[in-house]
Amino acid sequence: MLNPMYMNHRASTPNPQVSYQPSTSSFQRHHRPSSPGISLGPPSSPPSLYNLQQIASATGVDQQNNDVEELSAERLNLYLDKEEGEIENLEEEIDETTEKKWWLRTKRWFRLALPHFGLVLLSIGYTLIGALCFHHYEKPYEQQLRNETSRRIGELKNRVMDQLWRMSNNGTAYSTWRQTANDGMDELIRDVFWDYTRNYMTPDDVIYGDGPIKWSFMSSIFFSWTAITTIGYGHIVPRTDEGRVAIIFYALLGIPLILVTIADIGRFLATYIIKLHHGYMAVMSFVTNSCLKCIKWACCWIRLPRRHIPMPTLELLQRTQKLYPNNNNPTVAATAASAGGGTGRRKKQQRDNVSDAGTFDNISEINDGSEGGENENEGEEEEQIQFDPSNHEKRVSVLFILLIMLGYVAGGAYIVRWWEEWTFFEAFYFCFVTVTTIGFGDIVPANVDWLPATLAYIVFGLIITTMCIDLVGSEYIRDIHFYGRSLGRQFMTIGGKVVHLGEVFGYVAFLQKNYGLTAEQLTKLSQLPEEYLLDCLINGRQPDLNWIGGRPYVPPDIYYFKWIEHPRTLSFASDRVLQSMESLDLNTSRCSTARTLTPREYYQKILFQYCKQLQPEEPIADIDN
Amino acid sequence: MTVSMEENSKIQMLSATSKDKKVATDRSLLNKYHLGPLALHTGLVLSCVTYALGGAYLFLSIEHPEELKRREKAIREFQDLKQQFMGNITSGIENSEQSIEIYTKKLILMLEDAHNAHAFEYFFLNHEIPKDMWTFSSALVFTTTTVIPVGYGYIFPVSAYGRMCLIAYALLGIPLTLVTMADTGKFAAQLVTRWFGDNNMAIPAAIFVCLLFAYPLVVGFILCSTSNITYLDSVYFSLTSIFTIGFGDLTPDMNVIHMVLFLAVGVILVTITLDIVAAEMIDRVHYMGRHVGKAKELAGKMFQLAQSLNMKQGLVSGVGQLHALARFGMLVGREEVDKTQEDGIIAFSPDVMDGLEFMDTLSIYSRRSRRSAENSARNLFLS
């Protein structure tokens, strides 16, 4: 069979030969291994096959070589193309991921940083605008006043000299001449005095009419800054009505802006101060622990009960016990007696004790920072010895804050002294009066070249002062204000929205930072009922975010259950019952879009199947039909 | 009937005992807490007043002798300067202009000292016996304006010892005064909040802002009518005073007690207003851009928990308690969140539910054709 097909193709069309060349080559490959078998066959068929093989082999060898080369080249190209494509795809994927992450980071950073930078830039812009305003109003008035004063003094001086000269020429008596000179000088002195004390003029202003301009742009910046930060030296003040009206509105708007800006930056600084304080307290607690160990070793007759806390629930119980101390407990008294700082602990116990509400221990603590610091240090040491409290509970000690503040003032005094020609004590006095915003104005910076440095020092000093008040003062204010009474609804109204909002946000941010809470988890926690949280807190259990709270079980396929019909009632059903059932039917089904059967249809189908099933087996069915 | 009667009597007895206990606890609470906070707050105010008066006496005793010394020295210097000038102008009449210039310059340089200026004003211009700068009333104004801290600079310590005392005095006095003023201010804020906005804080904030704007105008009017200053200058002075700027360029004639009361009330008003209005602004700006969604709701609930527990030691312990609760709860909550599905809370569904298709009671009455019955039931259900 193969032979005639091959012959037909070859003889009939020359074009298909060209297209079928690879197939012929494959055909030849297929026959090569079988050729010796064919040669062994009958003699009639071998000569024809042999001839065909010879012809095919003669033409096919070249074709085979060409085809193989072409195929290999094509496949190589395809392979290379694939490889290139894959590489490009991988590169594209990598680029996309990196770009996306970078974009997200940049967006997040901008979202965080933009309001703070905006506030700082707004404050700087506001200061410059104020400086321009005061410079515009006050400089012309100053020049006018200066010219007028110098002219008046000049005239007065000339008049006195003319009188004296005329008298000396006329030969007037000495007593009269002396009296005239005295009167003239007194008038001159009076005018000079008023010029100096009321118009803040310098000797060059009075005599020559020239001198350093007080309301230069840099001085205007200094004035506007000291005005809105409520320092207020008073060495230069607005004299015109426009200037005074401007300072009124300028202060009304500027003081809240500066307070918000400084408080905002002070918050960032407070976090670093808290970390520094924790490190310091860790070192102190280590030293104190070693001292206590030595004391315990020395006083071997007193044995303190060891408190081993294997589970957190016990820790909660210890905390609850700590909240309500028992003064009658002898072990506590023994520990207080044995420890070094007995007086401090006694004061602390007195602070917690309700019966001593009438005393003024808190006032004394506030007045004497050192005592307060000692008490707090001892309290924190106790806590560290017994438990390992969280960082959020610690209160920064007053002594630490005082050291920071006085250190900054002393450092500033050391620096400012180089360009202001003051003694160290005078510089310290100036820095202290400035940083606490008292601002007497008896010592003011005179060197205009270094004024930006002074301004920078004042800015950071105010930030540090605000940070100190924010860390220490607010807690003392709150403790004193709510002393002697339990927290009520009023506290919630004021504390939750007005007074303690910062602490609220700080606490939530702390939760997010330390425990990796997401916004969704916070939402779930806030949705939990109050009673459940309180129950968990009292019983020492962990709140379950997925807690449902007694909701009943609802199966998902509830809508398939419409009604159940007992088969015995089939024969007793009537049109009335069916109509009433149909009226109760719900035509809309939530579970599926398929059409559901009405009770009538369902009933009929059930009846039909029932009769059909029972018909061939029981003869009674025929009677029923 | 008898059993029910006995139970009712028991219930009544229990309720009576509970009422008696409540009355007893109320009385004891009144006895305990009635005087405590009142004494504390009153003690703060009295301690502030005592501190100011004591400081006034201290600075008066330090600075008054120094003032007398400097006055005598200043008068002597002025007389010497004048004698020198007269001698120069008498000897050489041609150099009179130069002599006048030198005299004027030296005079102004001497007047830069406040004590010299004060002595010169009274002795040479008014020809009177000079008054004392450091009287008790002026010292009281000085200590008050130091502690608030307004800092007019009318008078200030000149000696080194006086300045050291000022530093120590301010370092202790400023916190005490700020605490007292904030404490008093919170009572006023509580009153206004109780009377007006219980739901929102907009109305109290508006009230305080209006008061803050009205106070300088009213006090300016009073000052204008009382002393010799114009109305604009009076408003200017009162505004720069209550905002603690304190330039000190104007010196109205006021009674010391009125001055102190004016400053105290004004600064308290400013503190309250900034506390109500600006505190929330600071918090919003500081925490902008962070994931603090529904933070107020969450924190409010936590504060209610602290309230429910009746913590008497303040909020720090309460926050610690809630912190411990959150720490344990969140550790467990995180694990559970990973396990459960992200779609949300799904009700419990048993696995056996898949096998249950339909309850059919026909099979009970046709045991022979159970298989056919099941098939027919499925067909009916699916049809």
Side-chain angles (χ1 to χ4, degrees), chain A residues 189 230 244 504 512 544 553, chain B residues 33 103 233 244 291 299 336 348:
Chain A
I189 287 163
T230 70
R244 287 182 175 174
V504 169
Q512 288 183 330
D544 185 1
Y553 169 70
Chain B
Y33 295 111
Y103 174 71
D233 290 344
T244 69
H291 297 287
E336 290 183 359
F348 173 76

Side-chain angles (χ1 to χ4, degrees), chain A residues 185 189 196 230 244 264 323 367 438-439 481 484 494 497 504 510 512 515 517 526 530 544 553 605, chain B residues 33 85 103 112 120 172 183 190 199 233 244 286 291 299 301 303-304 313 323 327 334 336 348 383:
Chain A
M185 286 300 106
I189 287 163
Y196 176 75
T230 70
R244 287 182 175 174
D264 183 42
L323 287 175
N367 287 326
I438 299 172
H481 186 64
I494 295 173
K497 292 182 179 178
V504 169
F510 173 77
Q512 288 183 330
Y515 296 111
L517 291 180
S526 65
E530 180 182 337
D544 185 1
Y553 169 70
K605 280 196 172 183
Chain B
Y33 295 111
F85 169 71
Y103 174 71
E112 284 184 356
F120 186 83
L172 293 175
D183 187 36
Q190 266 186 349
N199 294 322
D233 290 344
T244 69
H286 190 67
H291 297 287
K301 193 173 286 288
F303 279 110
Q304 285 178 2
Q313 296 183 3
H323 174 73
R327 183 170 62 191
R334 198 188 302 172
E336 290 183 359
F348 173 76
S383 64

Side-chain angles (χ1 to χ4, degrees), chain A residues 207-478:
Chain A
I207 295 167
Y208 302 110
D210 58 350
I213 296 168
K214 286 188 286 300
W215 284 99
S216 64
F217 188 69
M218 187 56 70
S219 299
S220 299
I221 290 172
F222 190 76
F223 169 77
S224 60
W225 180 255
T226 53
I228 58 180
T229 54
T230 70
I231 297 171
Y233 291 116
H235 62 300
I236 47 174
V237 292
R239 301 285 299 173
T240 59
D241 290 339
E242 294 87 2
R244 287 182 175 174
V245 170
I247 190 63
I248 287 170
F249 289 103
Y250 186 71
L252 279 175
L253 289 175
I255 287 172
L257 173 64
I258 291 296
L259 280 178
V260 168
T261 306
I262 288 174
D264 183 42
I265 297 171
R267 291 283 179 88
F268 288 113
L269 194 60
T271 56
Y272 293 110
I273 295 296
I274 288 168
K275 287 179 181 177
L276 187 65
H277 180 260
H278 291 159
Y280 173 77
M281 290 309 299
V283 172
M284 291 300 292
S285 66
F286 178 76
V287 172
T288 309
N289 282 323
S290 62
C291 291
L292 285 175
K293 285 180 181 178
C294 293
I295 291 167
K296 288 178 183 177
W297 181 72
C299 305
C300 57
W301 58 88
I302 295 171
R303 293 186 63 187
L304 296 174
R306 289 185 179 179
R307 297 176 183 176
H308 182 63
I309 304 167
M311 292 179 70
T313 53
L314 290 176
E315 184 177 351
L316 281 174
L317 290 174
Q318 290 292 332
R319 286 169 182 272
T320 54
Q321 286 180 2
K322 192 176 74 179
L323 287 175
Y324 303 98
N326 294 320
N327 292 322
N328 295 323
N329 193 356
T331 57
V332 173
T335 54
S338 65
T343 56
R345 290 191 182 179
R346 286 175 186 172
K347 283 190 177 180
K348 189 182 179 184
Q349 289 172 6
Q350 286 178 358
R351 182 199 287 179
D352 295 338
N353 195 356
V354 176
S355 63
D356 290 333
T359 60
F360 299 102
D361 288 332
N362 287 324
I363 296 168
S364 65
E365 283 173 3
I366 290 161
N367 287 326
D368 298 327
S370 61
E371 288 183 0
E374 285 177 359
N375 286 324
E376 286 183 352
N377 286 324
E378 288 169 359
E380 287 170 358
E381 286 161 8
E382 278 186 356
E383 288 181 358
Q384 284 182 357
I385 291 163
Q386 293 176 358
F387 309 110
D388 188 5
S390 64
N391 290 326
H392 191 70
E393 282 183 350
K394 289 182 185 177
R395 186 183 289 184
V396 180
S397 64
V398 176
L399 188 61
F400 191 71
I401 294 298
L402 283 179
L403 285 175
I404 289 172
M405 190 171 170
L406 289 176
Y408 186 76
V409 171
Y414 186 75
I415 292 167
V416 169
R417 185 165 59 90
W418 292 111
W419 65 72
E420 289 290 345
E421 296 178 357
W422 292 331
T423 61
F424 180 79
F425 183 68
E426 284 176 350
F428 187 87
Y429 176 76
F430 165 76
C431 292
F432 181 81
V433 166
T434 300
V435 159
T436 53
T437 68
I438 299 172
F440 286 128
D442 52 345
I443 298 175
V444 293
N447 195 338
V448 181
D449 295 332
W450 288 93
L451 212 53
T454 309
L455 277 176
Y457 173 77
I458 291 169
V459 171
F460 284 109
L462 289 172
I463 290 169
I464 285 175
T465 307
T466 306
M467 178 267 296
C468 295
I469 292 170
D470 196 11
L471 283 174
V472 177
S474 59
E475 290 185 0
Y476 276 110
I477 290 167
R478 188 172 60 247

